Amino acid sequence: MAVSTAGSSWHESNRGVSKFITIYLSLFLVILVLSKFLHDYPRIGSIIPEAAMIILVGMVAGLFVFLFFEDPHAEEAAYGYDDYGQQQQYAQGQEEQVQQQTDSLADSILSFSPTVFFVVLLPPIIFNSGYHVQKELFFRHLTPIAMYAFIGTAICTAVVAALLYSFQWLYGMESSFLELLTFGALISATDPVSTLAVFSSKHVDPQLFYLVFGESMLNDAVGLVLFNALAHLLENHLGQDIQVGDEVKQFLFDFVVAFLGSLVLGIVFALAMAMLLKYLDFRSTPILELCLAFTFMYLPFVVAELFHLSGIVTVLFAGIACRRYVEPNLSSITAVNADWIYRLTAHVTETLIFLELGLSVWSLIGHGAFSFGFLLTSLLAFFI
């Protein structure tokens, strides 16, 4: 009697998840050990920042998976045994299923999901930054921060598009200027994760830190509205005459709504939570109080995304307002624990982001989606 294959898909699925988690936890342990080494030897840490080290670990691990990953059970899973110990090969469909499971695991390790990044990994980092921001410095430099975010993002978008349009012969792609403007708006927003990681490790001047950090926060709203406006033009007015005045008015209106709406929504969430904690006493149940504080890292972000606002701006100001209005309504022990949970969650998600960046490099090369000419031209345009 041949071995039954009932439930084999369930078994393979759970084994694949176990492999995935094992690989990630092993890499996380390696990163923790190397991070301790960098902290113990500041001279080496000044040469290799912790963020760069994490990306390198991801790239090395991704290269190993890309070149050598094979399912050790693929061959034996393609065969069954009868009661007489005679080896029988399963159907070709079973072998293909095993290979698909192997490829799926490798793709899961090497891929970087934008949804996971924006919805799961990013909110705790931004919320923690707002929660621990020095409000005096941040609001004192709000005017130059806003100028860098608004004017700087627009200039960067135009420069990137102009250079890419001028050097199309270098990377062999034919794109309209409007398409390149849309791409420029997409990449012109400064990454707040790398800004926080590098500036925090280098202990830069606080004024410089908050100028760059504040700009990286606010230009998300500018980049979001600018990208949506250009994408709207690209989709609805391609090959048609564009009414520049009407489009500029629509852009300004969308930006004011997106930025102010995100700001107000974040503050409203913080005030609502403060009122909830004030009139519904959670101090007798600290674990529930802590769970409520944890939920607040994600809820403003996802609600803002539902309303097509900037989740980053919303959760940033939610964190700032939460420190001012919510923390006084928490019990002393929950306030301390919530502070550590915010720091811990932000550190873990930041580590996972840089690890994913390193791993995903080989996924691009493996799928033929890597254009060195376009990449180099984009980097040149961005640095200029």
Side-chain angles (χ1 to χ4, degrees), residues 43-334:
R43 187 170 297 179
I44 299 178
S46 63
I47 300 174
I48 305 176
E50 189 172 351
M53 178 271 294
I54 297 172
I55 293 176
L56 288 175
V57 170
M59 291 181 67
V60 172
L63 179 62
F64 177 81
V65 172
F66 179 70
L67 294 177
F68 305 110
F69 187 86
E70 291 182 359
D71 190 346
H73 300 285
E75 183 177 351
E76 64 183 68
Y79 294 89
Y81 295 86
D82 60 16
D83 291 338
Y84 303 101
Q86 296 176 344
Q87 195 177 53
Q88 294 180 333
Q89 188 173 14
Y90 280 155
Q92 183 67 25
Q94 178 70 13
E95 185 176 357
E96 292 178 357
Q97 180 182 1
V98 173
Q99 185 62 40
Q100 289 174 358
Q101 290 166 351
T102 303
D103 295 341
S104 177
L105 179 59
D107 289 341
S108 298
I109 294 172
L110 296 179
S111 63
F112 191 4
S113 169
T115 303
V116 173
F117 170 73
F118 280 108
V119 179
V120 179
L121 301 180
L122 186 60
I125 299 173
I126 306 303
F127 181 85
N128 180 69
S129 303
Y131 192 80
H132 294 101
V133 74
Q134 296 183 27
K135 294 184 290 293
E136 295 79 9
L137 281 175
F138 180 78
F139 288 107
R140 183 191 307 169
H141 297 93
L142 190 58
T143 300
I145 287 172
M147 292 183 63
Y148 287 139
F150 303 154
I151 302 176
T153 302
I155 292 176
C156 185
T157 299
V159 170
V160 168
L163 287 177
L164 288 176
Y165 189 77
S166 302
F167 290 93
Q168 288 188 81
W169 56 269
L170 185 62
Y171 52 87
M173 293 173 58
E174 292 186 5
S175 304
S176 67
F177 189 70
L178 185 57
E179 290 174 328
L180 294 175
L181 273 176
T182 307
F183 174 75
L186 182 65
I187 67 170
S188 293
T190 309
D191 177 24
V193 179
S194 57
T195 301
L196 286 169
V198 175
F199 278 34
S200 297
S201 63
K202 295 299 182 181
H203 302 289
V204 300
D205 179 74
Q207 294 188 7
L208 175 62
F209 177 87
Y210 280 102
L211 281 174
V212 179
F213 166 70
E215 189 273 340
S216 70
M217 295 293 104
L218 298 187
N219 73 3
D220 172 73
V222 180
L224 174 67
V225 176
L226 185 59
F227 174 79
N228 288 335
L230 293 171
H232 172 76
L233 286 176
L234 194 61
E235 181 180 0
N236 298 325
H237 299 282
L238 191 61
Q240 303 177 7
D241 293 335
I242 299 175
Q243 301 296 328
V244 178
D246 293 340
E247 295 298 334
V248 170
K249 291 178 182 178
Q250 185 64 40
F251 167 76
L252 293 175
F253 175 78
D254 291 342
F255 171 75
V256 170
V257 171
F259 180 75
L260 293 181
S262 301
L263 187 153
V264 171
L265 183 62
I267 296 175
V268 167
F269 263 104
L271 293 176
M273 185 175 178
M275 295 291 291
L276 176 65
L277 290 171
K278 181 176 181 180
Y279 293 104
L280 188 60
D281 191 3
F282 278 86
R283 289 181 174 85
S284 59
T285 53
I287 189 66
L288 297 180
E289 189 179 30
L290 192 58
C291 289
L292 186 63
F294 179 84
T295 304
F296 200 67
M297 283 192 297
Y298 286 98
L299 189 57
F301 186 93
V302 295
V303 171
E305 293 296 323
L306 287 176
F307 288 101
H308 302 287
L309 300 174
S310 172
I312 291 180
V313 175
T314 299
V315 81
L316 171 69
F317 283 96
I320 295 175
C322 186
R323 186 63 178 264
R324 173 66 178 85
Y325 299 108
V326 175
E327 188 184 34
N329 293 308
L330 295 173
S331 61
S332 57
I333 186 171
T334 300

